[in-house]
C-alpha cells in the first residue's frame, strides 16, 4: 500500500475550504514573517512621514538666512541647513521625491524587463533575437554618461523642475530593465523545458494562461528580488543624478540631494544633522524594502515552512 | 465492431537537425478503436513518444514537423484543425499523462488549482462545481482525504500519488482517448501495479480508449487488447495481443519476447537483441532491422519489406512471410 503522507496534517488545520490559491497561501506565509511585518511598518511610517508629515510641520520650506546652520533645537528638531530651512521638513519633502522615484522607476523597469524577458524566453526565434539585441545595446551603453546626456538635454529643453522627476523615473527605468529581462528570460527558458509546461499544453491551455498562471508564479521570486534591488538602486541613482545637478533641481529636495549637499569638510565634521537624517532615511527604506522583498520571495515558495 | 477513434494514416514526423533529417515517425499507420487498449512497444528512440505527440500536435517546431499523412480523430483530421480547435481537443477529448510524475505538476500551484483548471476551461464549470468535481476525481483515483489533497502542493505528495493526480487531471473532462506515455516507468513495482489497475478500472468506467506506450512486455500482456510494435520510426508488426504473444512473426518482436525474463525458467543470461537501433537519419530503402536480424536475406538489404496482413489480420513487415502474401 502507498504510505499516507503524515506531513499534511499539521499544516492544514486552519485551512479554510476554497483557500487553494497560491496568493492566499503566500499571504498567510507572509504575515507570519516577523521581518516582513517590521519592514512593512517601517515602509508605512516612511510613506506617512513623507506624504502626510509636511502638513504637520509649523515651518515653511523657504530660506531664512538669519537662521542658517542651527543645530537641532526645540524649534528645529533636526536643525537648519545653510539657507536656514528646517531640515526635518526638507527630509519629509525629499522623501516624497525619493520614494516616488525609487518605486516608480522600479515599477517601470519591472514592467518592461519582465514582459520583454518573458516574451523573449517564451516565444524564442526572431522575437527573442530582436529583444536580446536591443538589450545588449542598452547594456553596452554606460549608464552614467547616458544619464548625464539626458540631464543635459532636459536642461536644454527647459523642462520645468517639477516635471523633471517624471523624466528621471522614466530614464532610470528604461536603462535598467536589461538585467531583469535577462534573468526572467533565462528562467523561462529552463521552465519551458519542464514537463509541467508540456502538461499545460496537453490540457489545452491558452498561451496567456500558461504564461500568467503557470510560468509567472515560478519567476516571481526572481522578479521580487530584482524589484527589491531596483528600488534601492533607483534611490541611489537618483542621488547621483541630483549630485551632478541632473536629477531634480533645487530647491526641490531629495534624500540623495540632501546627502550630497553636505559634501564639504565643515558640514561633514561640524554639522552632522545635515547628512545623518537623509542617510538614515535611505538606509531604513532600503532595509525595509529588503525585508519585505525577502519575505515575499519566501512566501511565494510553497516549499518553505509556514 | 467498434468504430475507430483514432486512425494514423501514413504519418510522417521528421526532425530537421544539424546532422540531417531524423525520420522519427516514418510512414506510420495504425488505428485505435473506441474503448480499446492499444499498446505501442519498441526500444528507446523508435518514435513512440513522437507518434503520441503528433496526435496531440505538440511536436516542437522547429526542429520538428509533421510532413505528411493524416491523423483522423473522431472523424476529424487533426492536422487540418485550427490552433483553437486543437486546444479544445487537448485535455478535453484526448487526455495525456507522462513518464515523470515528479515534474509533471507545477510546483507552486496547489493540486486543487491544477485539477480545477481543465474543468473550468473545457466544461465551463464555476469554481464551486470544479472544486466538487475535483474532489470526486481525487477519490476516483484512489487517494484518501481528498479535501486535504486539494490544498496541498506537489512536493507534499509521493510519486505514486502525483501520478494518480496526473491521471485524475487527464480524465477530468471524460476524454474519448487517454494517452499514457510510459506512465509507470519512474515508479517502483508495487505502485506500478496499482497505477495499471487504476488505468484499467478507469478505462472500463469511462469507456475510453487507451493508447499505452511502454517498453515493458509484461505490461503489454496485462493491459493490451491490441499491440503495435515500432522499430526505427516504422510499425513493423501489429496484432491482437493473444495472437502476437502466441505467434510473433517479426524477428524483432520475437527478440523482444525472448528478452523478457520468464519466471520459473532459469536462464543463464537475459537474452538481448544484439546490435542497436539505427539512428533514423537518412535511412535508405531496406529493412532497418537487417543489421541485427538472424534471418537476413539478400532482398532484406535491397528493398523495404511491405507491411502486409495475413488472414487473421496479423500484420508484419518482413520478407520471411513473402510466401503468405499470395493468398
Ligand atoms: N526535439 C527533437 N529534436 C530532434 N530529434 C528528436 C526530437 N524529439 C525526438 N527526436 C528523435 O526522434 C526519435 C524518436 O524519439 P521518441 O521520443 O519518439 O522515442 P521513444 O520511442 O519515445 O523512446 P523512449 O522509449 O526513450 O521514450 C529519436 O531518435 C529522437 O532522437
Ligand atoms: S525483412 Fe529480412 S532483415 Fe528484415 S526482419 Fe525480415 S528477415 Fe530480418
Ligand atoms: Mg518516449
Amino acid at each position: 500500500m502507498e504510505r499516507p503522507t503524515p506531513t499534511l496534517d499539521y499544516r492544514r488545520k486552519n485551512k479554510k475550504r476554497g483557500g487553494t490559491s497560491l496568493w492566499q497561501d503566500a499571504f498567510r506565509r507572509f504575515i507570519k514573517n516577523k521581518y516582513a511585518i517590521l519592514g512593512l511598518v517601517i515602509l508605512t511610517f516612511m510613506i506617512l512621514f513623507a506624504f502626510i508629515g509636511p502638513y504637520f510641520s509649523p515651518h515653511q520650506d523657504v530660506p531664512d538666512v538669519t537662521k542658517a546652520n542651527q543645530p537641532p533645537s526645540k524649534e528645529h528638531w533636526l536643525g537648519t541647513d545653510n539657507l536656514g530651512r528646517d531640515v526635518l521638513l526638507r527630509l519629509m519633502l525629499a522623501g516624497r521625491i525619493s520614494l516616488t522615484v525609487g518605486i516608480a522607476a522600479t515599477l517601470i523597469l519591472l514592467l518592461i524587463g519582465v514582459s520583454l524577458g518573458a516574451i523573449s524566453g517564451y516565444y524564442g526565434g526572431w522575437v527573442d533575437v530582436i529583444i536580446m539585441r536591443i538589450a545588449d545595446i542598452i547594456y553596452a551603453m554606460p549608464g552614467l554618461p547616458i544619464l548625464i546626456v539626458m540631464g543635459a538635454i532636459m536642461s536644454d529643453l527647459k523642462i520645468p523642475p517639477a516635471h523633471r522627476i517624471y523624466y528621471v523615473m522614466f530614464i532610470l527605468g528604461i536603462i535598467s530593465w536589461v538585467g531583469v529581462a535577462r534573468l526572467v528570460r533565462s528562467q523561462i527558458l529552463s521552465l519551458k523545458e519542464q514537463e509541467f509546461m508540456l502538461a499545460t499544453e496537453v490540457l489545452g491551455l491558452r498561451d496567456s494562461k500558461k504564461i500568467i498562471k503557470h510560468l509567472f508564479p515560478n519567476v516571481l521570486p526572481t522578479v521580487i528580488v530584482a524589484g527589491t534591488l531596483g528600488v534601492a538602486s533607483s534611490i541611489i541613482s537618483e542621488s547621483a543624478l541630483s549630485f551632478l545637478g541632473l536629477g531634480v533641481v533645487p530647491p526641490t529636495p531629495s534624500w540623495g540631494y540632501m546627502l550630497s549637499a553636505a559634501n564639504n569638510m565643515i558640514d561633514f565634521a561640524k554639522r552632522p544633522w545635515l547628512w545623518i537624517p537623509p542617510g538614515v532615511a535611505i538606509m531604513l527604506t532600503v532595509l525595509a524594502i529588503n525585508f519585505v522583498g525577502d519575505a515575499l520571495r519566501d512566501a511565494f515558495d510553497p516549499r518553505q515552512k509556514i | 465492431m467498434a468504430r475507430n477513434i483514432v486512425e494514423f494514416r501514413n504519418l510522417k514526423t521528421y526532425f530537421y537537425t544539424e546532422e540531417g533529417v531524423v525520420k522519427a515517425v516514418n510512414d506510420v499507420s495504425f488505428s485505435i478503436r473506441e474503448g480499446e487498449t492499444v499498446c505501442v512497444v519498441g526500444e528507446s528512440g523508435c518514435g513512440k513518444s513522437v507518434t503520441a505527440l503528433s496526435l496531440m500536435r505538440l511536436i516542437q517546431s522547429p526542429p520538428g514537423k509533421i510532413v505528411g499523412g493524416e491523423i483522423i480523430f473522431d472523424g476529424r483530421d487533426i492536422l487540418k484543425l485550427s490552433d483553437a480547435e486543437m486546444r479544445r481537443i487537448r485535455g478535453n477529448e484526448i487526455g495525456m499523462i507522462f513518464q515523470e510524475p515528479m515534474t509533471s505538476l507545477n510546483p507552486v500551484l496547489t493540486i486543487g488549482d491544477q485539477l480545477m483548471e481543465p474543468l473550468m476551461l473545457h466544461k465551463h464549470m464555476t469554481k464551486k462545481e470544479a472544486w466538487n468535481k475535483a474532489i470526486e476525481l481525487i477519490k476516483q483515483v484512489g487517494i484518501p482525504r481528498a479535501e486535504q489533497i486539494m490544498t496541498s502542493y506537489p512536493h507534499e505528495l509521493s510519486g505514486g500519488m502525483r501520478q494518480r493526480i496526473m491521471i485524475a487531471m487527464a480524465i477530468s473532462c471524460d476524454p474519448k482517448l487517454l494517452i499514457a506515455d510510459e506512465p509507470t516507468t519512474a515508479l517502483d513495482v508495487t505502485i506500478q501495479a496499482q497505477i495499471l489497475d487504476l488505468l484499467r478500472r478507469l478505462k472500463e468506467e469511462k469507456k475510453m480508449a487507451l493508447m499505452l506506450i511502454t517498453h515493458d512486455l509484461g505490461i503489454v500482456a496485462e493491459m493490451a487488447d491490441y499491440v503495435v510494435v515500432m522499430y526505427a520510426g516504422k510499425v513493423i508488426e501489429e496484432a491482437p495481443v493473444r495472437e502476437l504473444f502466441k505467434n510473433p512473426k517479426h524477428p524483432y518482436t520475437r527478440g523482444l519476447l525472448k528478452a523478457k525474463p520468464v519466471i520459473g525458467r532459469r536462464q543463464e543470461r537475459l537474452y538481448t537483441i544484439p546490435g542497436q537501433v539505427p539512428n533514423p537519419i537518412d535511412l535508405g530503402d531496406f529493412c532497418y532491422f537487417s543489421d541485427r536480424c538472424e534471418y537476413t536475406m539478400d532482398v532484406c538489404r535491397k528493398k523495404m519489406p511491405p507491411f502486409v496482413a495475413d488472414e487473421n489480420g496479423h500484420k508484419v513487415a518482413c520478407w520471411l512471410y513473402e510466401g503468405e502474401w499470395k493468398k
Side-chain angles (χ1 to χ4, degrees), chain A residues 50-96:
Chain A
F51 289 90
I52 315 279
Y55 298 115
F56 294 96
S57 171
H59 305 285
Q60 301 272 299
D61 187 37
V62 284
D64 178 359
V65 234
T66 58
K67 292 185 184 160
N69 290 329
Q70 290 180 0
S73 63
K74 264 221 177 86
E75 198 193 346
H76 299 284
W77 293 358
L78 293 177
T80 60
D81 66 4
N82 55 356
L83 293 175
R85 292 171 298 196
D86 181 58
V87 172
L88 181 60
L89 176 60
R90 283 188 63 79
L91 190 67
M92 296 193 257
L93 293 174
R96 289 183 180 181

Side-chain angles (χ1 to χ4, degrees), chain A residues 69 80-82 87 258-259 262 267 271-278:
Chain A
N69 290 329
T80 60
D81 66 4
N82 55 356
V87 172
M258 290 175 73
L259 203 54
D267 282 347
R271 299 173 194 134
W273 63 87
L274 289 183
W275 53 268
I276 288 182

Side-chain angles (χ1 to χ4, degrees), chain A residues 1-13 15-26 28-29 123 125 191-207 209-210 212-221 299-306, chain B residues 53 56 58 60 86-92 94-101 103-110 112-114 116-118 120-122 127-128 131-132 143 145 147-153 155-162 164 166 169-170 172 190-191 194-195:
Chain A
M1 272 308 283
E2 205 164 284
R3 214 147 39 93
T5 44
T7 51
L8 291 177
D9 296 295
Y10 74 95
R11 319 189 149 189
R12 304 287 155 214
K13 259 180 235 143
K15 273 211 169 173
K16 281 201 286 295
R17 179 186 149 152
T20 61
S21 93
L22 171 70
W23 301 90
Q24 289 169 25
D25 280 347
R28 225 185 320 270
R29 277 190 287 265
Y123 290 102
L191 286 167
K192 221 170 51 163
E193 299 305 316
Q194 306 236 341
E195 239 164 38
F196 70 81
M197 286 314 293
L198 184 57
T200 62
E201 304 259 20
V202 163
L203 293 178
L205 302 189
R206 297 167 167 284
D207 278 3
K209 190 108 196 189
K210 282 187 278 190
I212 293 170
K213 184 162 175 195
H214 287 264
L215 280 180
F216 186 66
N218 281 288
V219 294
L220 204 56
F300 279 103
D301 180 356
R303 277 153 294 206
Q304 297 280 333
K305 286 224 178 77
I306 296 183
Chain B
L53 289 175
M56 283 302 237
L58 288 175
Q60 200 184 45
M86 197 57 223
R87 271 202 305 271
R88 245 168 275 143
I89 289 188
R90 289 185 202 132
N92 190 17
I94 309 179
M96 182 162 180
I97 53 175
F98 304 98
Q99 180 174 344
E100 252 324 316
T103 54
S104 298
L105 289 160
N106 193 333
V108 303
L109 299 178
T110 58
D113 219 358
Q114 301 187 56
M116 286 154 67
E117 202 161 29
M120 295 186 339
L121 175 74
H122 294 300
K127 224 172 171 150
K128 198 165 170 197
W131 176 276
N132 292 332
I143 306 181
R145 289 175 302 171
E147 313 254 339
Q148 235 176 60
I149 296 291
M150 286 292 280
T151 54
S152 311
Y153 287 91
H155 71 276
E156 298 170 293
L157 271 55
S158 69
M161 285 166 98
R162 280 189 235 187
R164 285 170 194 262
M166 291 309 296
M169 215 184 287
S172 60
T190 41
I191 311 271
Q194 292 172 12
I195 296 286

Side-chain angles (χ1 to χ4, degrees), chain B residues 29-285:
Chain B
S29 304
F30 68 93
S31 48
I32 300 174
R33 295 196 206 119
E34 276 180 337
E36 182 184 50
T37 300
V38 170
C39 279
V40 180
V41 284
E43 276 165 293
S44 199
C46 67
K48 306 179 299 284
S49 299
V50 173
T51 306
L53 289 175
S54 301
L55 169 56
M56 283 302 237
R57 259 194 27 206
L58 288 175
I59 296 295
Q60 200 184 45
S61 164
K65 191 165 190 284
I66 299 177
V67 294
E70 289 173 335
I71 303 176
I72 311 296
F73 173 74
D74 206 19
R76 290 157 287 178
D77 185 353
I78 288 268
L79 304 181
K80 294 208 176 73
L81 297 180
S82 71
D83 286 349
E85 288 171 312
M86 197 57 223
R87 271 202 305 271
R88 245 168 275 143
I89 289 188
R90 289 185 202 132
N92 190 17
E93 295 182 56
I94 309 179
M96 182 162 180
I97 53 175
F98 304 98
Q99 180 174 344
E100 252 324 316
M102 298 319 245
T103 54
S104 298
L105 289 160
N106 193 333
V108 303
L109 299 178
T110 58
I111 302 295
D113 219 358
Q114 301 187 56
L115 259 177
M116 286 154 67
E117 202 161 29
L119 294 168
M120 295 186 339
L121 175 74
H122 294 300
K123 298 292 177 213
H124 310 288
M125 289 189 185
T126 63
K127 224 172 171 150
K128 198 165 170 197
E129 289 165 344
W131 176 276
N132 292 332
K133 172 78 181 175
I135 293 214
E136 194 185 304
L137 282 165
I138 295 177
K139 289 183 180 148
Q140 218 166 17
V141 295
I143 306 181
R145 289 175 302 171
E147 313 254 339
Q148 235 176 60
I149 296 291
M150 286 292 280
T151 54
S152 311
Y153 287 91
H155 71 276
E156 298 170 293
L157 271 55
S158 69
M161 285 166 98
R162 280 189 235 187
Q163 192 60 299
R164 285 170 194 262
I165 296 292
M166 291 309 296
I167 294 173
M169 215 184 287
I171 59 158
S172 60
C173 295
D174 297 317
K176 300 180 184 121
L177 171 70
L178 177 65
I179 306 173
D181 191 348
E182 310 196 23
T184 58
T185 312
L187 303 171
D188 68 51
V189 189
T190 41
I191 311 271
Q192 197 168 331
Q194 292 172 12
I195 296 286
L196 291 175
D197 274 346
L198 174 67
L199 282 175
R200 202 179 308 135
R201 201 190 77 218
L202 289 172
K203 196 202 90 151
E204 294 301 322
E205 279 172 19
K206 306 233 169 200
K207 312 232 178 306
M208 34 175 208
L210 179 61
M211 174 174 171
L212 182 61
I213 296 173
T214 175
H215 43 230
D216 183 340
L217 284 165
I219 293 179
V220 176
E222 209 178 316
M223 302 285 292
D225 297 317
Y226 197 81
V227 188
V228 173
V229 185
M230 285 185 73
Y231 187 78
K234 286 194 163 291
V235 176
I236 48 120
E237 180 160 8
E238 61 170 83
V241 65
R242 288 183 154 275
E243 167 69 17
L244 189 95
F245 274 79
K246 211 169 64 199
N247 182 21
K249 285 188 163 180
H250 198 284
Y252 176 65
T253 315
R254 290 194 206 160
L256 284 180
L257 286 171
K258 249 203 266 179
K260 187 177 156 41
V262 181
I263 297 168
R265 196 200 298 163
R266 270 197 151 202
Q267 274 171 313
E268 284 295 289
R269 273 181 65 197
L270 263 181
Y271 179 82
T272 48
I273 308 171
Q276 277 180 347
V277 192
N279 196 355
I281 295 180
D282 303 324
L283 285 178
D285 186 25

